[in-house]
Amino acid sequence: QTKVINSHIYGMNFANLKPKQIKMNKIISICLMSFFVLTACAQEEKPNTETSRKPNIEKTEAEWKAQLTELEYEVLREEGTEKPFTGEYVDWKKEGVFVCKACGNPLFSSDTKFKSGTGWPSFFDHLGDSSVAEVADNSYGWNRTEVECWRCGSHLGHVFEDGPDPTGLRYCINSVSLEFQEK
Ligand code: FE
């Protein structure tokens, strides 16, 4: 009975083999399976370590264009910057959470918003591990850190190290990349 079950599991016919050969075949099968599992795991990890983080939401640019206004698309999908002091949330003082305009992912709390005088909504912290991703941005010869939505990869703004306590960080975020949800 055991032999029949084993041959079914490993897809091999053990019926005509001696006990010693069966044992050897089992060992080889297990080694082969372990090898394939390990190889599969290694391949899965590769994209995350070699390139920037892959967004969890992937849409075609045509789909984003249909969903967003022209300015939102330019900022969120083409890494543009809105003109300073033009955004809806620059002097916003209500209590609540700012979510990604493209996908609704919670990004910043009003508790961490501060008056920076830059003309863009500024925060000294984000909401947590799955809110934003920080990516090196060397465009225009500047050495800046870009802030993206962790979930959809859309561009939000940049983070600088001249912010207030307790973090010393300043997340300089485009208003059009955000949507406010009142508490
Ligand atoms: Fe998003």
Side-chain angles (χ1 to χ4, degrees):
Q1 183 66 25
T2 320
K3 275 182 193 171
V4 174
I5 291 168
N6 278 343
S7 65
H8 182 71
I9 290 171
Y10 297 110
M12 297 171 83
N13 186 10
F14 296 113
N16 301 324
L17 299 175
K18 289 172 189 162
K20 210 174 180 183
Q21 286 175 299
I22 291 173
K23 205 174 173 190
M24 204 57 205
N25 274 5
K26 268 193 202 171
I27 291 169
I28 292 169
S29 301
I30 290 166
C31 286
L32 277 175
M33 283 200 315
S34 311
F35 175 75
F36 287 131
V37 168
L38 286 174
T39 315
C41 290
Q43 279 172 345
E44 236 170 67
E45 267 176 33
K46 237 179 179 180
N48 285 342
T49 48
E50 283 189 357
T51 57
S52 62
R53 206 193 55 80
K54 208 176 166 202
N56 290 12
I57 294 179
E58 287 185 89
K59 290 187 182 185
T60 64
E61 289 314 305
E63 285 173 315
W64 285 123
K65 235 172 211 172
Q67 179 192 327
L68 303 166
T69 68
E70 209 172 306
L71 181 62
E72 285 164 6
Y73 182 84
E74 193 187 314
V75 173
L76 286 157
R77 304 305 307 171
E78 297 182 320
E79 294 181 29
T81 303
E82 70 190 11
K83 288 193 182 83
F85 301 102
T86 60
E88 189 183 0
Y89 300 128
V90 178
D91 295 316
W92 196 260
K93 290 197 174 60
K94 286 181 185 172
E95 282 190 15
V97 166
F98 295 87
V99 303
C100 173
K101 186 76 188 219
C103 78
N105 188 32
L107 305 171
F108 302 98
S109 163
S110 60
D111 297 341
T112 61
K113 196 173 187 292
F114 69 97
K115 196 178 176 181
S116 66
T118 58
W120 291 282
S122 302
F123 305 85
F124 60 77
D125 206 358
H126 55 77
L127 272 174
D129 285 343
S130 54
S131 55
V132 304
E134 295 174 18
V135 182
D137 174 12
N138 299 315
S139 59
Y140 308 106
W142 291 344
N143 204 354
R144 295 186 298 176
T145 304
E146 190 208 342
V147 181
E148 289 181 355
C149 170
W150 185 87
R151 189 156 75 178
C152 73
S154 291
H155 174 76
L156 305 171
H158 289 87
V159 58
F160 303 93
E161 293 180 350
D162 57 7
D165 285 338
T167 62
L169 298 173
R170 171 171 60 93
Y171 287 85
C172 187
I173 306 298
N174 288 283
S175 227
V176 292
S177 299
L178 303 172
E179 189 168 80
F180 180 74
Q181 286 179 356
E182 202 158 357
K183 245 178 201 171

